[in-house]
Amino acid sequence: MYDSDRTKPNNLLFDNLNLAGSNKLTHPTWLDVTIANRTWVIGIQLDYRSLNPQGWSNALLLQAWLGASLSVLASVITRQLISNHQAVRLALSKEQEVSKERALAGTVIDSSPLAIVVTNPNGVIVQVNQAFCQLTGYSELEAQGNKTNLLRSGRHDSNFYEQMWAAILNKGYWTGEIWNRHRNGQIIRHELSITAVLDPQKNVSNFVGLLRDVSERYAQQEQMRFLATHDQLTGLANRTLLIEELTRSLALARRQQHGVGLLFIDLNNFKPVNDRYGHSTGDALLTAVGQRLLSSVRESDTLCRQGGDEFVLLVPDAPGLKQLVAMAHKLVQLLEQPLNELANGAGSIQVSASIGVTRWPDHAHDADSLIEVADTAMYQAKHQGGDAIATASSNATL
Protein backbone atom coordinates (compact mmCIF):
# COMPACT_ATOMS: atom_id res chain seq x y z
CA MET A 1 0.00 0.00 0.00
CA TYR A 2 1.40 3.37 -1.09
CA ASP A 3 0.63 6.93 -0.07
CA SER A 4 -0.35 8.38 -3.49
CA ASP A 5 2.44 7.80 -6.06
CA ARG A 6 3.53 4.11 -6.01
CA THR A 7 6.53 4.77 -8.21
CA LYS A 8 8.31 6.35 -5.29
CA PRO A 9 9.69 3.74 -2.86
CA ASN A 10 9.50 6.20 0.03
CA ASN A 11 5.72 6.30 -0.28
CA LEU A 12 5.41 2.59 0.60
CA LEU A 13 3.30 2.16 3.75
CA PHE A 14 2.68 -1.60 3.94
CA ASP A 15 4.04 -4.77 2.24
CA ASN A 16 3.11 -8.04 3.96
CA LEU A 17 5.42 -10.27 1.85
CA ASN A 18 8.12 -7.70 1.02
CA LEU A 19 7.47 -8.14 -2.72
CA ALA A 20 7.62 -4.46 -3.64
CA GLY A 21 10.35 -3.81 -6.21
CA SER A 22 11.12 -7.52 -6.64
CA ASN A 23 10.64 -9.81 -9.63
CA LYS A 24 8.19 -11.88 -7.61
CA LEU A 25 5.59 -9.17 -8.04
CA THR A 26 4.40 -10.44 -11.39
CA HIS A 27 0.63 -9.97 -11.60
CA PRO A 28 -0.61 -7.43 -9.01
CA THR A 29 -3.94 -5.68 -9.20
CA TRP A 30 -3.79 -1.93 -8.30
CA LEU A 31 -6.65 0.09 -6.90
CA ASP A 32 -6.77 3.84 -6.15
CA VAL A 33 -8.71 4.61 -2.97
CA THR A 34 -9.48 8.24 -2.05
CA ILE A 35 -10.14 8.91 1.65
CA ALA A 36 -10.35 12.37 3.29
CA ASN A 37 -9.17 14.08 0.08
CA ARG A 38 -6.05 11.89 -0.04
CA THR A 39 -5.38 9.05 -2.54
CA TRP A 40 -4.01 5.73 -1.39
CA VAL A 41 -2.79 3.06 -3.89
CA ILE A 42 -3.42 -0.53 -2.86
CA GLY A 43 -1.90 -3.48 -4.75
CA ILE A 44 -2.97 -7.13 -4.35
CA GLN A 45 -1.26 -10.20 -5.90
CA LEU A 46 -2.91 -13.53 -5.21
CA ASP A 47 -1.02 -16.82 -5.12
CA TYR A 48 -2.64 -19.36 -7.45
CA ARG A 49 -2.48 -21.85 -4.65
CA SER A 50 -4.72 -19.66 -2.50
CA LEU A 51 -7.69 -20.04 -4.80
CA ASN A 52 -10.38 -22.70 -4.35
CA PRO A 53 -12.55 -24.00 -7.16
CA GLN A 54 -14.96 -21.13 -6.57
CA GLY A 55 -12.07 -18.60 -6.82
CA TRP A 56 -11.76 -17.83 -3.06
CA SER A 57 -9.82 -19.17 -0.12
CA ASN A 58 -9.62 -18.42 3.60
CA ALA A 59 -6.21 -16.80 3.19
CA LEU A 60 -7.55 -14.59 0.41
CA LEU A 61 -10.51 -13.53 2.53
CA LEU A 62 -8.22 -12.78 5.45
CA GLN A 63 -6.00 -10.66 3.27
CA ALA A 64 -9.03 -8.81 1.95
CA TRP A 65 -10.29 -8.18 5.47
CA LEU A 66 -6.86 -6.95 6.58
CA GLY A 67 -6.69 -4.64 3.61
CA ALA A 68 -10.09 -3.19 4.31
CA SER A 69 -9.23 -2.78 8.01
CA LEU A 70 -6.01 -1.01 7.18
CA SER A 71 -7.88 1.28 4.82
CA VAL A 72 -10.39 2.18 7.52
CA LEU A 73 -7.57 2.68 10.05
CA ALA A 74 -5.69 4.88 7.62
CA SER A 75 -8.86 6.87 7.04
CA VAL A 76 -9.42 7.38 10.77
CA ILE A 77 -5.78 8.35 11.34
CA THR A 78 -5.86 10.75 8.43
CA ARG A 79 -9.11 12.30 9.59
CA GLN A 80 -7.66 12.74 13.11
CA LEU A 81 -4.47 14.24 11.76
CA ILE A 82 -6.43 16.71 9.68
CA SER A 83 -8.64 17.60 12.66
CA ASN A 84 -5.62 18.09 14.91
CA HIS A 85 -3.94 20.18 12.26
CA GLN A 86 -6.99 22.43 11.95
CA ALA A 87 -7.24 22.75 15.74
CA VAL A 88 -3.57 23.73 15.96
CA ARG A 89 -4.00 26.30 13.20
CA LEU A 90 -7.06 27.77 14.96
CA ALA A 91 -5.22 27.91 18.29
CA LEU A 92 -2.24 29.58 16.68
CA SER A 93 -4.52 32.08 14.97
CA LYS A 94 -6.23 32.95 18.25
CA GLU A 95 -2.89 33.24 20.02
CA GLN A 96 -1.69 35.59 17.31
CA GLU A 97 -4.80 37.74 17.73
CA VAL A 98 -4.34 37.81 21.51
CA SER A 99 -0.68 38.69 21.06
CA LYS A 100 -1.64 41.54 18.75
CA GLU A 101 -4.19 42.84 21.25
CA ARG A 102 -1.66 42.60 24.07
CA ALA A 103 0.94 44.41 22.01
CA LEU A 104 -1.58 47.12 21.12
CA ALA A 105 -2.65 47.50 24.76
CA GLY A 106 1.00 47.68 25.82
CA THR A 107 1.68 50.37 23.23
CA VAL A 108 -1.34 52.40 24.36
CA ILE A 109 -0.33 52.14 28.03
CA ASP A 110 3.31 53.02 27.37
CA SER A 111 2.51 56.00 25.13
CA SER A 112 -0.35 57.39 27.26
CA PRO A 113 0.28 60.86 28.74
CA LEU A 114 -1.78 59.78 31.75
CA ALA A 115 -0.06 57.87 34.52
CA ILE A 116 -1.42 54.30 34.52
CA VAL A 117 -1.06 51.74 37.30
CA VAL A 118 -2.49 48.20 37.23
CA THR A 119 -2.84 46.16 40.41
CA ASN A 120 -4.06 42.70 41.32
CA PRO A 121 -7.23 42.32 43.45
CA ASN A 122 -5.13 42.84 46.61
CA GLY A 123 -3.85 46.21 45.46
CA VAL A 124 -0.33 44.98 44.62
CA ILE A 125 1.14 46.81 41.62
CA VAL A 126 1.73 44.55 38.60
CA GLN A 127 2.28 47.14 35.87
CA VAL A 128 2.96 50.88 35.51
CA ASN A 129 3.78 53.05 32.51
CA GLN A 130 6.48 55.64 31.99
CA ALA A 131 4.11 58.52 32.77
CA PHE A 132 3.49 56.97 36.21
CA CYS A 133 7.23 56.81 36.87
CA GLN A 134 7.65 60.46 35.89
CA LEU A 135 4.65 61.56 37.97
CA THR A 136 5.54 59.70 41.17
CA GLY A 137 9.32 59.39 40.98
CA TYR A 138 9.20 55.59 41.40
CA SER A 139 10.76 53.41 38.73
CA GLU A 140 8.88 50.43 37.33
CA LEU A 141 11.11 48.07 39.31
CA GLU A 142 10.48 49.99 42.55
CA ALA A 143 6.72 50.12 42.03
CA GLN A 144 6.04 46.52 41.01
CA GLY A 145 5.34 44.22 43.93
CA ASN A 146 4.42 47.11 46.26
CA LYS A 147 0.94 48.22 47.21
CA THR A 148 -0.37 51.55 46.02
CA ASN A 149 -0.28 52.89 49.57
CA LEU A 150 3.38 53.73 48.97
CA LEU A 151 1.90 56.98 47.53
CA ARG A 152 -0.16 57.86 50.63
CA SER A 153 0.42 61.42 51.77
CA GLY A 154 -1.07 61.15 55.25
CA ARG A 155 -3.53 63.98 54.51
CA HIS A 156 -6.55 61.66 54.23
CA ASP A 157 -8.05 59.72 57.13
CA SER A 158 -9.09 56.08 56.98
CA ASN A 159 -12.71 57.06 56.36
CA PHE A 160 -11.71 58.67 53.04
CA TYR A 161 -10.15 55.45 51.77
CA GLU A 162 -13.01 53.32 53.10
CA GLN A 163 -15.56 55.37 51.16
CA MET A 164 -13.37 55.30 48.03
CA TRP A 165 -13.04 51.49 48.01
CA ALA A 166 -16.70 51.03 48.90
CA ALA A 167 -17.61 53.01 45.76
CA ILE A 168 -15.20 50.96 43.62
CA LEU A 169 -16.58 47.63 44.83
CA ASN A 170 -20.23 48.74 44.60
CA LYS A 171 -20.14 50.75 41.36
CA GLY A 172 -17.01 49.41 39.73
CA TYR A 173 -15.24 52.78 39.61
CA TRP A 174 -14.28 55.92 41.58
CA THR A 175 -13.19 59.35 40.39
CA GLY A 176 -11.95 62.22 42.50
CA GLU A 177 -8.94 64.21 43.67
CA ILE A 178 -6.40 62.92 46.15
CA TRP A 179 -3.20 64.08 47.83
CA ASN A 180 -0.27 61.73 47.04
CA ARG A 181 3.35 61.75 48.13
CA HIS A 182 6.12 61.89 45.52
CA ARG A 183 9.16 59.69 46.04
CA ASN A 184 11.11 62.80 47.07
CA GLY A 185 8.57 63.55 49.82
CA GLN A 186 6.71 66.32 47.99
CA ILE A 187 2.92 66.32 48.43
CA ILE A 188 1.11 66.50 45.08
CA ARG A 189 -2.55 66.89 44.18
CA HIS A 190 -3.69 64.18 41.72
CA GLU A 191 -6.90 63.60 39.82
CA LEU A 192 -7.48 59.86 40.18
CA SER A 193 -9.82 57.44 38.41
CA ILE A 194 -9.95 53.78 39.50
CA THR A 195 -11.83 51.07 37.56
CA ALA A 196 -12.37 47.44 38.54
CA VAL A 197 -11.68 44.86 35.78
CA LEU A 198 -13.83 41.71 35.97
CA ASP A 199 -13.08 38.21 34.70
CA PRO A 200 -15.72 36.03 32.91
CA GLN A 201 -16.99 34.88 36.32
CA LYS A 202 -17.62 38.53 37.33
CA ASN A 203 -14.84 38.45 39.89
CA VAL A 204 -12.34 41.32 40.19
CA SER A 205 -9.14 40.37 38.35
CA ASN A 206 -7.43 43.77 38.35
CA PHE A 207 -7.78 47.42 39.28
CA VAL A 208 -6.66 50.09 36.80
CA GLY A 209 -5.83 53.57 38.05
CA LEU A 210 -5.36 56.71 35.92
CA LEU A 211 -3.59 59.68 37.52
CA ARG A 212 -3.05 63.27 36.41
CA ASP A 213 -1.22 66.06 38.22
CA VAL A 214 -3.64 68.89 39.05
CA SER A 215 -1.44 70.64 41.64
CA GLU A 216 -1.13 73.77 39.53
CA ARG A 217 -4.86 73.97 38.89
CA TYR A 218 -5.55 73.36 42.58
CA ALA A 219 -3.08 76.09 43.56
CA GLN A 220 -4.79 78.49 41.15
CA GLN A 221 -8.19 77.66 42.60
CA GLU A 222 -6.88 78.15 46.13
CA GLN A 223 -5.31 81.44 45.09
CA MET A 224 -8.59 82.61 43.58
CA ARG A 225 -10.46 81.60 46.72
CA PHE A 226 -7.87 83.33 48.89
CA LEU A 227 -8.20 86.54 46.90
CA ALA A 228 -11.98 86.32 47.14
CA THR A 229 -11.97 85.81 50.92
CA HIS A 230 -8.91 87.78 52.10
CA ASP A 231 -7.80 91.38 52.20
CA GLN A 232 -5.14 91.94 49.53
CA LEU A 233 -3.19 94.43 51.63
CA THR A 234 -2.89 92.65 54.98
CA GLY A 235 -3.69 89.04 53.99
CA LEU A 236 -6.31 88.92 56.75
CA ALA A 237 -9.85 87.63 56.23
CA ASN A 238 -12.19 90.05 54.49
CA ARG A 239 -15.86 90.71 55.22
CA THR A 240 -16.96 87.80 52.96
CA LEU A 241 -14.95 85.26 54.95
CA LEU A 242 -15.97 86.91 58.23
CA ILE A 243 -19.66 86.40 57.40
CA GLU A 244 -18.99 82.73 56.48
CA GLU A 245 -17.07 82.04 59.70
CA LEU A 246 -19.53 83.98 61.85
CA THR A 247 -22.53 82.13 60.36
CA ARG A 248 -20.78 78.78 60.93
CA SER A 249 -19.85 79.76 64.50
CA LEU A 250 -23.42 80.81 65.32
CA ALA A 251 -24.82 77.53 63.99
CA LEU A 252 -22.36 75.58 66.15
CA ALA A 253 -23.05 77.77 69.18
CA ARG A 254 -26.79 77.09 68.92
CA ARG A 255 -26.17 73.36 69.04
CA GLN A 256 -23.57 73.45 71.79
CA GLN A 257 -25.10 76.29 73.84
CA HIS A 258 -22.14 78.64 74.09
CA GLY A 259 -21.54 82.27 73.18
CA VAL A 260 -19.96 83.98 70.18
CA GLY A 261 -18.01 87.22 70.64
CA LEU A 262 -17.27 90.04 68.21
CA LEU A 263 -14.78 92.89 68.76
CA PHE A 264 -15.00 95.80 66.31
CA ILE A 265 -11.65 97.68 66.27
CA ASP A 266 -11.08 101.13 64.73
CA LEU A 267 -7.74 102.98 64.67
CA ASN A 268 -7.80 106.54 65.96
CA ASN A 269 -6.23 109.36 63.93
CA PHE A 270 -5.24 107.11 61.05
CA LYS A 271 -6.08 109.77 58.44
CA PRO A 272 -3.39 112.19 59.66
CA VAL A 273 -0.77 109.43 59.16
CA ASN A 274 -1.88 109.01 55.54
CA ASP A 275 -1.93 112.78 54.97
CA ARG A 276 1.51 113.36 56.51
CA TYR A 277 3.51 110.35 55.35
CA GLY A 278 1.60 109.17 52.31
CA HIS A 279 -0.48 106.11 51.47
CA SER A 280 2.48 103.75 51.32
CA THR A 281 3.23 104.45 54.97
CA GLY A 282 -0.47 104.17 55.78
CA ASP A 283 -0.59 100.76 54.08
CA ALA A 284 2.51 99.65 55.97
CA LEU A 285 0.88 100.82 59.19
CA LEU A 286 -2.28 98.82 58.52
CA THR A 287 -0.23 95.73 57.69
CA ALA A 288 1.84 96.08 60.86
CA VAL A 289 -1.29 96.55 62.99
CA GLY A 290 -2.89 93.50 61.41
CA GLN A 291 0.16 91.34 62.15
CA ARG A 292 0.39 92.63 65.71
CA LEU A 293 -3.28 91.82 66.35
CA LEU A 294 -2.98 88.43 64.64
CA SER A 295 -0.03 87.44 66.84
CA SER A 296 -2.08 88.05 70.01
CA VAL A 297 -5.27 86.11 69.22
CA ARG A 298 -6.00 82.39 69.36
CA GLU A 299 -5.70 80.15 66.32
CA SER A 300 -9.43 79.43 66.50
CA ASP A 301 -10.26 83.17 66.33
CA THR A 302 -10.75 84.98 63.01
CA LEU A 303 -9.22 88.41 62.49
CA CYS A 304 -10.75 90.39 59.64
CA ARG A 305 -9.96 93.72 58.04
CA GLN A 306 -13.39 95.21 57.56
CA GLY A 307 -12.12 98.03 55.38
CA GLY A 308 -10.09 101.20 55.77
CA ASP A 309 -8.65 101.24 59.30
CA GLU A 310 -11.34 98.95 60.75
CA PHE A 311 -10.67 95.41 62.01
CA VAL A 312 -13.06 92.80 63.41
CA LEU A 313 -12.11 89.93 65.73
CA LEU A 314 -14.43 86.91 65.83
CA VAL A 315 -14.24 84.78 68.99
CA PRO A 316 -16.23 81.62 68.07
CA ASP A 317 -16.28 80.04 71.56
CA ALA A 318 -16.65 83.20 73.57
CA PRO A 319 -16.56 83.40 77.35
CA GLY A 320 -18.73 85.93 79.19
CA LEU A 321 -18.94 89.60 78.25
CA LYS A 322 -16.57 90.53 81.07
CA GLN A 323 -13.82 88.32 79.65
CA LEU A 324 -14.39 89.78 76.15
CA VAL A 325 -13.93 93.30 77.54
CA ALA A 326 -10.69 92.20 79.22
CA MET A 327 -9.53 90.86 75.88
CA ALA A 328 -10.32 94.23 74.28
CA HIS A 329 -8.21 96.05 76.92
CA LYS A 330 -5.22 93.82 76.07
CA LEU A 331 -5.58 94.65 72.39
CA VAL A 332 -5.72 98.39 73.14
CA GLN A 333 -2.53 98.12 75.20
CA LEU A 334 -0.90 96.13 72.45
CA LEU A 335 -1.67 98.79 69.84
CA GLU A 336 -0.36 101.57 72.06
CA GLN A 337 3.17 100.30 71.58
CA PRO A 338 5.02 102.37 68.94
CA LEU A 339 5.39 101.07 65.42
CA ASN A 340 8.99 101.77 64.41
CA GLU A 341 10.37 102.63 60.94
CA LEU A 342 7.38 101.74 58.78
CA ALA A 343 8.32 103.43 55.53
CA ASN A 344 9.56 106.66 53.97
CA GLY A 345 11.57 107.58 57.06
CA ALA A 346 8.41 108.04 59.08
CA GLY A 347 10.23 106.91 62.18
CA SER A 348 8.21 105.76 65.16
CA ILE A 349 4.43 105.99 64.83
CA GLN A 350 2.02 105.41 67.68
CA VAL A 351 -1.66 104.72 67.21
CA SER A 352 -4.60 104.06 69.46
CA ALA A 353 -7.85 102.17 69.02
CA SER A 354 -11.53 102.28 69.89
CA ILE A 355 -13.23 98.92 70.34
CA GLY A 356 -16.87 97.92 70.40
CA VAL A 357 -17.64 94.61 72.14
CA THR A 358 -20.71 92.47 71.56
CA ARG A 359 -21.75 88.91 72.26
CA TRP A 360 -24.29 86.43 70.91
CA PRO A 361 -26.97 85.72 72.09
CA ASP A 362 -26.89 88.71 74.46
CA HIS A 363 -26.98 91.49 71.85
CA ALA A 364 -28.17 90.05 68.51
CA HIS A 365 -29.66 86.96 66.86
CA ASP A 366 -27.83 86.63 63.50
CA ALA A 367 -24.52 87.41 61.82
CA ASP A 368 -25.42 90.72 60.16
CA SER A 369 -27.11 92.04 63.29
CA LEU A 370 -24.17 91.09 65.48
CA ILE A 371 -21.75 92.97 63.19
CA GLU A 372 -24.02 96.02 63.13
CA VAL A 373 -24.36 96.07 66.92
CA ALA A 374 -20.56 95.75 67.29
CA ASP A 375 -20.08 98.61 64.81
CA THR A 376 -22.48 100.81 66.80
CA ALA A 377 -20.67 100.00 70.04
CA MET A 378 -17.32 100.93 68.41
CA TYR A 379 -18.67 104.37 67.44
CA GLN A 380 -19.87 104.85 71.00
CA ALA A 381 -16.33 104.12 72.19
CA LYS A 382 -14.87 106.48 69.60
CA HIS A 383 -17.07 109.32 70.81
CA GLN A 384 -15.65 108.83 74.30
CA GLY A 385 -12.18 109.65 72.90
CA GLY A 386 -8.80 108.01 73.44
CA ASP A 387 -8.40 104.27 73.92
CA ALA A 388 -12.03 103.64 74.76
CA ILE A 389 -14.00 100.40 74.91
CA ALA A 390 -17.78 100.16 74.74
CA THR A 391 -20.17 97.22 74.96
CA ALA A 392 -23.46 96.91 73.18
CA SER A 393 -26.63 97.38 75.19
CA SER A 394 -27.91 94.03 76.51
CA ASN A 395 -31.35 95.09 75.31
CA ALA A 396 -30.25 95.57 71.71
CA THR A 397 -32.18 93.30 69.37
CA LEU A 398 -31.75 94.02 65.66
Side-chain angles (χ1 to χ4, degrees), residues 11 18 48 69 74 78 83 125 154 168 172 197 218 317 327 333 335 370 373 376:
N11 289 349
N18 297 320
Y48 68 93
S69 298
T78 302
S83 177
I125 298 174
I168 296 172
V197 180
Y218 182 80
D317 189 3
M327 185 183 300
Q333 295 173 3
L335 294 178
L370 195 65
V373 170
T376 300

Side-chain angles (χ1 to χ4, degrees), residues 66-307:
L66 288 175
S69 298
L70 288 173
S71 298
V72 173
L73 178 61
S75 175
V76 171
I77 293 175
T78 302
R79 193 180 297 271
Q80 187 63 39
L81 288 174
I82 294 174
S83 177
N84 291 343
H85 179 68
Q86 292 176 341
V88 170
R89 289 186 59 185
L90 181 60
L92 288 175
S93 177
K94 289 183 178 180
E95 181 63 27
Q96 289 177 351
E97 291 297 325
V98 171
S99 298
K100 289 181 181 179
E101 292 178 359
R102 288 175 179 172
L104 178 60
T107 301
V108 171
I109 291 176
D110 292 338
S111 61
S112 172
L114 292 177
I116 301 177
V117 54
V118 182
T119 75
N120 65 15
N122 297 321
V124 177
I125 298 174
V126 297
Q127 184 180 1
V128 297
N129 66 348
Q130 188 59 37
F132 176 90
C133 298
Q134 294 175 353
L135 187 67
T136 66
Y138 290 95
S139 68
E140 182 177 0
L141 185 61
E142 291 173 320
Q144 287 181 348
N146 285 304
K147 288 194 172 184
T148 53
N149 58 14
L150 86 165
L151 300 178
R152 285 197 178 185
S153 63
R155 291 196 178 185
H156 303 288
D157 56 19
S158 58
N159 185 54
F160 171 85
Y161 293 102
E162 289 174 0
Q163 292 181 357
M164 180 181 72
W165 284 108
I168 296 172
L169 296 177
N170 292 332
K171 299 179 181 179
Y173 67 92
W174 180 87
T175 300
E177 293 188 359
I178 188 172
W179 289 106
N180 281 329
R181 185 183 300 274
H182 192 274
R183 188 177 184 276
N184 62 13
Q186 181 183 3
I187 305 300
I188 305 175
R189 187 80 171 181
H190 287 161
E191 185 178 74
L192 172 62
S193 175
I194 301 178
T195 303
V197 180
L198 304 181
D199 61 19
Q201 289 72 40
K202 303 301 181 181
N203 297 318
V204 176
S205 61
N206 295 98
F207 293 107
V208 178
L210 306 179
L211 297 97
R212 184 161 62 97
D213 188 357
V214 293
S215 300
E216 183 176 352
R217 185 186 72 187
Y218 182 80
Q220 292 175 350
Q221 292 174 346
E222 288 297 299
Q223 180 66 16
M224 293 177 61
R225 172 169 172 76
F226 182 86
L227 294 176
T229 58
H230 289 77
D231 175 50
Q232 296 186 22
L233 175 62
T234 64
L236 300 175
N238 61 14
R239 181 180 175 86
T240 300
L241 184 56
L242 174 66
I243 293 295
E244 290 181 8
E245 294 296 329
L246 181 55
T247 302
R248 186 180 299 110
S249 297
L250 291 175
L252 185 62
R254 290 186 179 96
R255 291 195 300 268
Q256 299 182 354
Q257 299 298 310
H258 60 72
V260 176
L262 211 61
L263 279 65
F264 207 111
I265 307 166
D266 182 81
L267 301 183
N268 298 322
N269 300 318
F270 172 73
K271 187 176 183 300
V273 175
N274 258 345
D275 294 341
R276 181 177 178 181
Y277 300 108
H279 289 287
S280 61
T281 300
D283 290 345
L285 172 63
L286 292 173
T287 302
V289 168
Q291 291 303 311
R292 183 173 289 185
L293 291 172
L294 189 62
S295 65
S296 65
V297 301
R298 302 175 303 176
E299 186 176 351
S300 60
D301 299 338
T302 300
L303 181 63
C304 160
R305 183 188 175 207
Q306 174 81 352

Side-chain angles (χ1 to χ4, degrees), residues 53-71:
Q54 287 78 29
W56 296 97
S57 69
N58 292 334
L60 182 60
L61 292 174
L62 178 59
Q63 291 176 5
W65 179 82
L66 288 175
S69 298
L70 288 173
S71 298

